C-alpha cells in the first residue's frame, strides 16, 4: 500500500496535479499496476481535483488505459488488413492454443492478456506481435509460441 | 514523360550523418519571413494526408500575437498501411527535431512536443537521449526552444490535430469544432503549428538543400517527393521516397507482382483504385492524395473483406461524438454485411452510397468525412463482390 | 462592438461579431433544427442536424458552432441540406429504442418531433440498437435508459457546466461511446445530487424522473386513506405550460380545483411551511449571530446557509463534508410539511396518522430522494409518502379527464393551507433570502425592512451570485448587540456558483452572515421537475409570475401568516423549541467526495 501511495506521489510530482498531467499519470499507473483500479482512479481524481467520472470517461477513450484487470504482460496482435493478409489468424490460433485463452482474455495466473488491435504500423513486416513494448515483426506461429514459452516456461509442457 | 523506371528520391534519409543542428543554425541567420517565403515557394504541402500548405500554416501562426506558441510534431501515425513516420523517427530523428526548431524560430515558440503514438513506445529508448542532446544543442546555438515527448494512449483519432490537443490536455481525444483553427487556437488555446513528422523533415531539408531541388520534383499542385509505405501483395514491401505525381500504373509496374487488382491509396480513409484506372490516375493532390499508405491487392483478394476490415476499423476508432460518423460507420458495416448475406437487396447499396455522401458533408472532422472514400470507391468498382 | 453582415436564404442580416450562424438565422426567423444545442449550455456541434450550406464550402457547416463571418452566403434549405438532415435523424432513430408508445417523453421528445418533421421511415436503416440495455432505476430521483439516448451530451454538459458535479461523463469511443457514471455505477452510488437538471436538458426519454403517480392514484382510490397534497410555490407558475397556457401564467386556483376534483382529500400549500421555515431559520440565524458576536462561540458556524434545497444539501454532503456545520438545521418546507401532516394535522383533524398519505408536488427531482432519506420519519411514519414533479401532476390532471381551462378557481384547504407572499417567493432564486430579511429585520428592529414595498431587488434576478448588505439600525433592546451591524448576505443558484461560494467558506474567507443556495439555475422555478423545455427565457417568465403572485397576496411577511401564529400557539410553542427541534430540524451526513 505504501508503495502504491509512493507511485501516485511520484507521478504527480513528475506530471503535475493539473488536468494536463492526467494521461501521463494514468499511463504511469497502468505501467506499474497493469490497469486502473477503481480506488486508484478515485485517488487520481482527488489529486487532480476533478470528478472520478471524468477520470473514468477519459481513460475509457484510450485502448492502452485499461479499466479492467489485465495480465502482467499484454500480447497484442495486429488485426488490420495487411497483417490479416500476411496470416495473423495463424498467430492468433497458436497463441490461443498455447495460453489456453481466447482473444480478449487473461490467463488464470494473470501473467498474460491477449488482445487484437488495430494497425500497429508494421504493415510491410506483418504479421506483427507486440508484447508490452517489445515488437516482433514477421512473426511465425512457431516463433510466437517460442517467445511465450521463454517468458513463461510453464507453457512448454503443452507441446 | 512516363518511364518504365521510377525515379527514386533520396532527401529524407539522405546524409544520415550530417548534423541537422547546422541547418537550424543556418536558419537562425535568416529572417523568419524569408524562411516562410522559401517554404511557401517550395510548394510543400502537409505530408500527413490533408495537404495544407506548410508555409502558409507557419505564416498564419507567426502573425498571431500571443505570450506563448507551440510547435507540435504529429507522430500519431495510425492510418492502416502507414509506417513511414516510425521509420523516419527511428533513422533520422534529428532531422525531425531540426524541422521543429526552425518552425519554432519562425513563429516564435519556446516549447514543442512530439506526440508519439503509444504503439511506437519502443522508439523511446533511442529517442529520449537524442532529444536531450538536441535540446542541449539548441541552447548552445542560442535558440530558446525545448522539445518534449508526449506519449499517446491508443486512439487513431488523436492523429486529428484538434483531438490531439484535447488528448494532450488530459481529455478524451474528441475533435473540436473548427474554426478556430490551430494556428490561432491550438494546444491550450494558444497558436500552434502542428506538422506531420515527414513534413518537418522536408522543411529542414528545404532549408538545407534549397528550394529548387525540391521544387523540381513533382507536379504543379504536388511539389517534391514523399515517403511511401508499401505493403500488401508485393515482394518489395517497405519504405520508398518517390516523386509525387507518378501514375498509379508506374507504381504498380514497380511494386506489383503482376496480378494487381487494385491499389488502396491513403489507407482506410483513402481511395481504392481498380486496375482499369491505373493508367489514368496519378498519385498526388490533383489525383489521388495519400499520407503515404499504399496497399496492393491481388486478384485473389476479396474486396468485400477488405472493405469490411476498413469499416470495422472505423466503427472502433470513430470518437463517437458526432452522429454521421458514429452511427454512419456502423450502418455502412452492417449494411454491407446484410447485402452480402442476402438479408438486404443489392439496391440497399445505393442507399448506403447516399449515406456515405451525408457522412462526407456532415461529419465533424476528417475521420467521418473520409470514411466514404474507401467505401464508395470499393463499392462502385467492385459491386459484384459486394452482393450475395 | 463590430457588426457582421451576411446573407441567409437571400435575406441580409447583421449580427454582433462572435454570434453563430444559428443566432443570425434566428434573428430573421429562420428556424434551423437543433438537437445537441441548448441555450443554457456551451456549444457542442455533435448531432450535426443544424448543418447549412455556406457558399464556397465543400462540406456542410454546423450552424450552432460556426461563427458568422462577413459576407457569408448561407442556404438553410437546399436538397443537399435536407437530405443530410433527414439522414442524420434517420441514423439517430436507427440506434434508438423506438417504442415511443411506452415512453414517458412521448409527445414531448425532440427526436420524435424531428422524425415527424423529416418524415423518417423507420426502415430507412437497419436497427443498431444494442440489445439487453437495462434501465437504471437505482436512484429515488432519476431514471436512466440508455436505449433512448441520442448521445448529444446535453446531460454531461449540464452536470459539468451548470452544476460542476460531473457525475455524468462520456465513456468509450466509436460504437461503444455512451453516457456513464464512474465505472458504470448505478446512479444511487454515483456522486449525484439528484437535482434533475440533466432530466430537463435531455431531449428524449433517456433521463427522466422516477415516477410515483400511480401509487398516488391508488391511494386516492382507497377510501380508507386520507390523501393530502401540498404544492410548492413554483408549481403554480409552471404547471400551465403543460396544459396549454402561455409560459408564466399563474394557474393557482385552477390547480387547486383540479386536485380536489381528482379526489384529493385536502389540498394544502407548501408555502405554509415555507413561512414556517422563515420563522425557524430566521430564529436560528439570530441565535447563531448572538452566539458568535456576543458569546464568541467558535463551534457555531457563520455564515449560515439555507437548507431547503435537497439538491444543494446532497451536494454539500458530497463535496464539502467537513463544512456541514454551516447548513441551517432546518428541514426543507416539504419535510416540515410531511412531519406536521402526520402530527399536528392528524391531531387537529382527528385522523390516524397511519391513514394519512402525504404527497408533495414539487418542481424538483431531488425532493424524491429527500422524501426517502431514512431519517425523514420524525412523525413516527414516513413523513412524505410520495414526491411528485410538476410534470407528474400535469400528467395526472390530463389523465383525470378534466378540462383544465374551464375549471373555476378555488382556495387551498385548511389547516396548513394559508400562506404569505414571503412563502411564494421561495420559488425564485433570492426568495428565501428576501423572505427571511422581511421577517428578521422586523423582529430585530420592530420596523419593516427598508426597501420600497418590501421588494428587496438586490437579491433578485439571474446573476449567478448576488450579494447585499443591510445596516441594522434602531434595534429593540433584546437585539441591541446587532445595533449598527452591517448584515451581509449572498445568494447563489446553480451548483457551480454554490461551489464558488463554498470554496470561500471552506477557506474561512467568506464575508457573509447568511447565504441562500439553490441547486437549480433560477431556483425552484427552473427545477429539475419543471415542465420541459426550460431555458433562460422561460425561467425569467416564471420568476416574473412568482413576484406577481407575491404582490397579489394580502400578507407578504411570514410572521404575519395567521396559521403560523396559530401553530406556535397551539402546537410548536416557540421557534427552535423542543417540538420544533424534533419535527422540523435535521442533521446531515458526510458522503464520499469522489
Amino acid at each position: 500500500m505504501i508503495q502504491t501511495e509512493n507511485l501516485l506521489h511520484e507521478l504527480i510530482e513528475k506530471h503535475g496535479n493539473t488536468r494536463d498531467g492526467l494521461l501521463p499519470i494514468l499511463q504511469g499507473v497502468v505501467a506499474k499496476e497493469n490497469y486502473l483500479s477503481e480506488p486508484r482512479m478515485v485517488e487520481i481524481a482527488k489529486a487532480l481535483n476533478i470528478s472520478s467520472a471524468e477520470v473514468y470517461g477519459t481513460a475509457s477513450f484510450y485502448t492502452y488505459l485499461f479499466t479492467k484487470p489485465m495480465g502482467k504482460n499484454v500480447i497484442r496482435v495486429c488485426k488490420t488488413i495487411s497483417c490479416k493478409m500476411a496470416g495473423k489468424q495463424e498467430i492468433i490460433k497458436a497463441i490461443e492454443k498455447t495460453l489456453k485463452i481466447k482473444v480478449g482474455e487473461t490467463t488464470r495466473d494473470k501473467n498474460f492478456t491477449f488482445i487484437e488491435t488495430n494497425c500497429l504500423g508494421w504493415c510491410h513486416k506483418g504479421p506483427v506481435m507486440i508484447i508490452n513494448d517489445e515488437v516482433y515483426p514477421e512473426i511465425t506461429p512457431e516463433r510466437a509460441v517460442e517467445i511465450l514459452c521463454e517468458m513463461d516456461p510453464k507453457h512448454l509442457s503443452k507441446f | 514523360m512516363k518511364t518504365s523506371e521510377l525515379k527514386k528520391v533520396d532527401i529524407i534519409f539522405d546524409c544520415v550523418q550530417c548534423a541537422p543542428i547546422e541547418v537550424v543554425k543556418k536558419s537562425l541567420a535568416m529572417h523568419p519571413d524569408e524562411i516562410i517565403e522559401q517554404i511557401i515557394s517550395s510548394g510543400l504541402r502537409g505530408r500527413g494526408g490533408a495537404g495544407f500548405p506548410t508555409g502558409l500554416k507557419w505564416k498564419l501562426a507567426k502573425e498571431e500575437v500571443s505570450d506563448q506558441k507551440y510547435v507540435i510534431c504529429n507522430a500519431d501515425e495510425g492510418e492502416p498501411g502507414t509506417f513511414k513516420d516510425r521509420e523516419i523517427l527511428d533513422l533520422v530523428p534529428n532531422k525531425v527535431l531540426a524541422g521543429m526548431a526552425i518552425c519554432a524560430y519562425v513563429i516564435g515558440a519556446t516549447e514543442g512536443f512530439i506526440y508519439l503514438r503509444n504503439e511506437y513506445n519502443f522508439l523511446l529508448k533511442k529517442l529520449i537521449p537524442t532529444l536531450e542532446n538536441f535540446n542541449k544543442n539548441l541552447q548552445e546555438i542560442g535558440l530558446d526552444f525545448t522539445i518534449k515527448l508526449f506519449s499517446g494512449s491508443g486512439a487513431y483519432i488523436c492523429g486529428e490535430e484538434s483531438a490531439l490537443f484535447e488528448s494532450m490536455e488530459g481529455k478524451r481525444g474528441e475533435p473540436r469544432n473548427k474554426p478556430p483553427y490551430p494556428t490561432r487556437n491550438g494546444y491550450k488555446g494558444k497558436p500552434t503549428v502542428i506538422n506531420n513528422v515527414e513534413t518537418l523533415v522536408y522543411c529542414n531539408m528545404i532549408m538545407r538543400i534549397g528550394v529548387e531541388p525540391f521544387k523540381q520534383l513533382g507536379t504543379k499542385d504536388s511539389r517534391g517527393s514523399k515517403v511511401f509505405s508499401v505493403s500488401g501483395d508485393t515482394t518489395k514491401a517497405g519504405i520508398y521516397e518517390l516523386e509525387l505525381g507518378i501514375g498509379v500504373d508506374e507504381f504498380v509496374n514497380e511494386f506489383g507482382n503482376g496480378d494487381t487488382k487494385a491499389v488502396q491509396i491513403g489507407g482506410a480513409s483513402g481511395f481504392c483504385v481498380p486496375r482499369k484506372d491505373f493508367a489514368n490516375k496519378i498519385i498526388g493532390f490533383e489525383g489521388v492524395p495519400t499520407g503515404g499508405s499504399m496497399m496492393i491487392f491481388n486478384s485473389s483478394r476479396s474486396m468485400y473483406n477488405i472493405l469490411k476490415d476498413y469499416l470495422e476499423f472505423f466503427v472502433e476508432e470513430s470518437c463517437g461524438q458526432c452522429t454521421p460518423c458514429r452511427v454512419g460507420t456502423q450502418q455502412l458495416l452492417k449494411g454491407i454485411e446484410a447485402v452480402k448475406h442476402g438479408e438486404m437487396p443489392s439496391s440497399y447499396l445505393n442507399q448506403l452510397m447516399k449515406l456515405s455522401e451525408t457522412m462526407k458533408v456532415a461529419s465533424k472532422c476528417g475521420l467521418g468525412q473520409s470514411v466514404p472514400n474507401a467505401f464508395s470507391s470499393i463499392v462502385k468498382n467492385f459491386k459484384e463482390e459486394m452482393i450475395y | 462592438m463590430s457588426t457582421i453582415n451576411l446573407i441567409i436564404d437571400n435575406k441580409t442580416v447583421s449580427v454582433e461579431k462572435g454570434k453563430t450562424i444559428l443566432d443570425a438565422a434566428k434573428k430573421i426567423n429562420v428556424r434551423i433544427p437543433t438537437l445537441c444545442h441548448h441555450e443554457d449550455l456551451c456549444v457542442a456541434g455533435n448531432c450535426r442536424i443544424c448543418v447549412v450550406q455556406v457558399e464556397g464550402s465543400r462540406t456542410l457547416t454546423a450552424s450552432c458552432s460556426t461563427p458568422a463571418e462577413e459576407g457569408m452566403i448561407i442556404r438553410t434549405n437546399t436538397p443537399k441540406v435536407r437530405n443530410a438532415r433527414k439522414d442524420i435523424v434517420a441514423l439517430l432513430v436507427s440506434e434508438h429504442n423506438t417504442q415511443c408508445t411506452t415512453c414517458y417523453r412521448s409527445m414531448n421528445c425532440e427526436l420524435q418531433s424531428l422524425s415527424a418533421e423529416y418524415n423518417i421511415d423507420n426502415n430507412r436503416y437497419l436497427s443498431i440498437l444494442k440489445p439487453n440495455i437495462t434501465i437504471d432505476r437505482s436512484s429515488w430521483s432519476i431514471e436512466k435508459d440508455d436505449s433512448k439516448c441520442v448521445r448529444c451530451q446535453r446531460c454531461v454538459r449540464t452536470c459539468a457546466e451548470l452544476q460542476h458535479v460531473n457525475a455524468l461523463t462520456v465513456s468509450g469511443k466509436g460504437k461503444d461511446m455512451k453516457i456513464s457514471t464512474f465505472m458504470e455505477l448505478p446512479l444511487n452510488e454515483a456522486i449525484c445530487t439528484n437535482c434533475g437538471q440533466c432530466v430537463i436538458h435531455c431531449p428524449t426519454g433517456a433521463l427522466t424522473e422516477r415516477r410515483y403517480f400511480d401509487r398516488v392514484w391508488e391511494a386516492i382510490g382507497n377510501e380508507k386513506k386520507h390523501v393530502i397534497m401540498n404544492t410548492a410555490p413554483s408549481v403554480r407558475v409552471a404547471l400551465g405550460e403543460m396544459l396549454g397556457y402561455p409560459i408564466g401564467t399563474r394557474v393557482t386556483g385552477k390547480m387547486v380545483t383540479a386536485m380536489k376534483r381528482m379526489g384529493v382529500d385536502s389540498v394544502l400549500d407548501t408555502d405554509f411551511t415555507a413561512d414556517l421555515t422563515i420563522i425557524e431559520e430566521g430564529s436560528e440565524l439570530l441565535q447563531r449571530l448572538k452566539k458568535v458576536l456576543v458569546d464568541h462561540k467558535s463551534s457555531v458556524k457563520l455564515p449560515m446557509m439555507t437548507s431547503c434545497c435537497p439538491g444543494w444539501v446532497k451536494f454539500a454532503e458530497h463535496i464539502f463534508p467537513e463544512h456541514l456545520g454551516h447548513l441551517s438545521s432546518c428541514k426543507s418546507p416539504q419535510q416540515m410539511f410531511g412531519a406536521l401532516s402526520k402530527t399536528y394535522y392528524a391531531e387537529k383533524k382527528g385522523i390516524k396518522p397511519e391513514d394519512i398519505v402525504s404527497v408533495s408536488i414539487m418542481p424538483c427531482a431531488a425532493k424524491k430522494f429527500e422524501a426517502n432519506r431514512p431519517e425523514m420519519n420524525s412523525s413516527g411514519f414516513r413523513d412524505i409518502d410520495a414526491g411528485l414533479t410538476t410534470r407528474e401532476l400535469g400528467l395526472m390532471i390530463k389523465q383525470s379527464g378534466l378540462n383544465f381551462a374551464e375549471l373555476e378557481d378555488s382556495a387551498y384547504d385548511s389547516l396548513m393551507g394559508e400562506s404569505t407572499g414571503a412563502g411564494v417567493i421561495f420559488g425564485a432564486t433570492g426568495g428565501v433570502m428576501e423572505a427571511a430579511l422581511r421577517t428578521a429585520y422586523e423582529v430585530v428592529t420592530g420596523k419593516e425592512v427598508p426597501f420600497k414595498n418590501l421588494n428587496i431587488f438586490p437579491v433578485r434576478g439571474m446573476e449567478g451570485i448576488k450579494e447585499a448588505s443591510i445596516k441594522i439600525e434602531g434595534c429593540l433592546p433584546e437585539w441591541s448587540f446587532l445595533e449598527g451591524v452591517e448584515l451581509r448576505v449572498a445568494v447563489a443558484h446553480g451548483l457551480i456558483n454554490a461551489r464558488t461560494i463554498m470554496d470561500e467558506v471552506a477557506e474561512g474567507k467568506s464575508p457573509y452572515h447568511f447565504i441562500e443556495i439553490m441547486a437549480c439555475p433560477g431556483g425552484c422555478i427552473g427545477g429539475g421537475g419543471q415542465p420541459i423545455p426550460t431555458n433562460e427565457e422561460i425561467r425569467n417568465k416564471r420568476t416574473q409570475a412568482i413576484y406577481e403572485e407575491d404582490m397579489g397576496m394580502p400578507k407578504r411577511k411570514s410572521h404575519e401568516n395567521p396559521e403560523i401564529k396559530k401553530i406556535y400557539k397551539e402546537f410548536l410553542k416557540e421557534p427552535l423549541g423542543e417540538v420544533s427541534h424534533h419535527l422540523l430540524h435535521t442533521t446531515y451526513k458526510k458522503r464520499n467526495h469522489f
Side-chain angles (χ1 to χ4, degrees), chain A residues 36 38 41-42 45-47 49-54 56-58 60-63 67, chain C residues 164-174 180-185 191 499 593-594:
Chain A
L36 301 161
E38 212 174 292
M41 281 192 268
V42 168
K46 225 178 263 185
N49 198 23
I50 54 179
S51 90
S52 47
E54 280 180 280
Y56 168 71
T58 305
S60 67
F61 189 85
Y62 297 98
T63 48
T67 52
Chain C
H164 212 300
V165 171
N166 293 299
L168 293 173
T169 184
V170 184
S171 77
K173 68 165 178 275
S180 301
T181 55
F182 176 56
M183 290 301 278
E184 319 290 335
L185 287 174
I191 313 297
R499 193 188 280 256
H593 184 160
F594 288 97

Side-chain angles (χ1 to χ4, degrees), chain B residues 227-381:
Chain B
V227 183
F228 289 87
S229 314
V230 181
S231 68
D233 291 316
T234 170
T235 52
K236 298 184 187 170
I239 298 283
Y240 299 90
E241 186 174 4
L242 304 171
E243 191 178 356
L244 277 172
I246 56 170
V248 179
D249 52 353
E250 293 174 273
F251 177 83
V252 173
N253 283 344
E254 174 78 21
F255 295 99
N257 54 12
D259 184 29
T260 303
K261 167 159 89 172
V263 185
Q264 179 74 19
I265 301 178
S269 61
F271 295 86
C272 179
V273 178
R275 187 183 291 152
K276 68 174 166 56
D277 290 339
F278 286 172
N280 53 35
K281 293 263 195 239
I282 65 161
I283 300 164
F285 295 107
E286 58 271 78
V288 191
T290 175
S293 171
M294 304 294 287
M295 288 184 184
I296 301 171
F297 301 117
N298 273 0
S299 50
S300 63
R301 303 293 177 186
S302 154
M303 294 313 287
Y304 167 79
N305 281 343
I306 289 163
L307 178 57
K308 185 165 168 268
D309 189 87
Y310 291 156
L311 290 174
E312 281 167 350
F313 174 79
F314 286 124
V315 161
E316 287 177 15
E317 295 295 349
S318 161
C319 80
Q321 64 170 329
C322 88
T323 314
C325 184
R326 177 188 68 253
V327 193
T329 51
Q330 293 179 73
Q331 285 296 353
L332 292 181
L333 175 60
K334 197 173 167 114
I336 63 158
E337 285 174 336
V339 170
K340 188 74 182 169
H341 299 136
E343 291 153 9
M344 291 298 274
S346 60
S347 61
Y348 190 58
L349 290 173
N350 300 334
Q351 169 83 45
L352 295 178
M353 289 290 260
K354 276 200 258 166
L355 168 59
S356 77
E357 191 53 36
T358 296
M359 292 173 69
K360 195 179 211 156
V361 297
S363 293
K364 187 169 183 171
C365 81
L367 191 157
Q369 288 168 10
S370 59
V371 172
N373 295 347
F375 182 83
S376 56
S377 57
I378 293 177
V379 170
K380 215 179 289 165
N381 291 306

Side-chain angles (χ1 to χ4, degrees), chain C residues 54-250:
Chain C
V54 178
E55 200 172 282
S57 172
R58 187 177 51 85
T59 58
L60 299 176
T61 301
S63 58
C64 72
S65 63
T66 309
E69 277 172 40
E70 186 63 37
M72 268 182 168
I73 299 173
I74 290 160
R75 281 172 219 287
T76 69
N77 208 0
T78 64
K80 188 172 166 188
V81 168
R82 287 192 59 77
N83 282 336
R85 286 186 192 157
K86 187 166 179 156
D87 247 352
I88 290 164
V89 177
L91 289 175
L92 287 170
V93 169
S94 80
E95 66 172 354
H96 195 78
N97 173 358
T98 49
Q99 298 270 327
C100 293
T101 47
T102 59
C103 182
Y104 181 55
R105 285 289 298 275
S106 188
M107 311 298 282
N108 181 17
C109 166
E110 292 179 39
L111 183 64
Q112 201 182 37
S113 309
L114 283 167
S115 305
E117 188 180 332
Y118 283 87
N119 185 26
I120 303 307
D121 175 20
N122 194 26
N123 294 328
R124 202 175 161 89
Y125 292 113
L126 303 165
S127 171
I128 53 161
L129 174 64
K130 291 194 180 56
N132 312 321
I133 293 176
T134 51
I135 303 174
D136 179 358
R137 293 204 174 95
S138 62
S139 155
W140 287 110
S141 294
I142 295 167
E143 237 177 74
K144 181 165 172 280
D145 180 355
D146 290 342
S147 75
K148 312 257 178 74
C149 176
V150 292
R151 293 158 180 83
C152 65
Q153 305 188 24
R154 267 157 54 165
C155 55
V156 177
R157 282 177 281 151
T158 300
C159 204
E161 292 165 24
L162 300 182
Q163 303 300 63
H164 212 300
V165 171
N166 293 299
L168 293 173
T169 184
V170 184
S171 77
K173 68 165 178 275
K175 67 178 190 323
D176 299 322
M177 178 269 206
K178 66 190 283 271
I179 308 304
S180 301
T181 55
F182 176 56
M183 290 301 278
E184 319 290 335
L185 287 174
L187 272 175
N188 66 335
E189 291 175 38
I191 313 297
C192 170
T193 67
N194 300 309
C195 71
Q197 283 298 312
C198 56
V199 172
I200 57 166
H201 287 90
C202 179
T204 68
L207 287 159
T208 53
E209 75 271 36
R210 284 289 303 286
R211 298 170 295 276
Y212 302 101
F213 58 84
D214 276 332
R215 262 192 232 178
V216 175
W217 279 127
E218 286 297 318
I220 290 172
N222 184 342
E223 280 180 10
K224 284 192 206 124
K225 295 292 180 190
H226 180 85
V227 178
I228 53 181
M229 277 193 185
N230 70 93
T231 65
S234 50
V235 175
R236 66 204 67 182
V237 298
L239 178 70
E241 292 166 34
M242 296 193 67
L243 300 161
Y245 284 86
I247 296 157
T249 311
R250 292 179 280 144

Side-chain angles (χ1 to χ4, degrees), chain C residues 252-273:
Chain C
T252 320
K254 286 188 196 304
M255 173 181 75
V256 173
T257 309
M259 291 160 80
K260 288 183 183 179
R261 293 271 296 268
M262 278 156 51
V264 175
D265 295 295
S266 189
V267 180
L268 302 175
D269 203 348
T270 326
D271 296 11
F272 165 76
T273 35

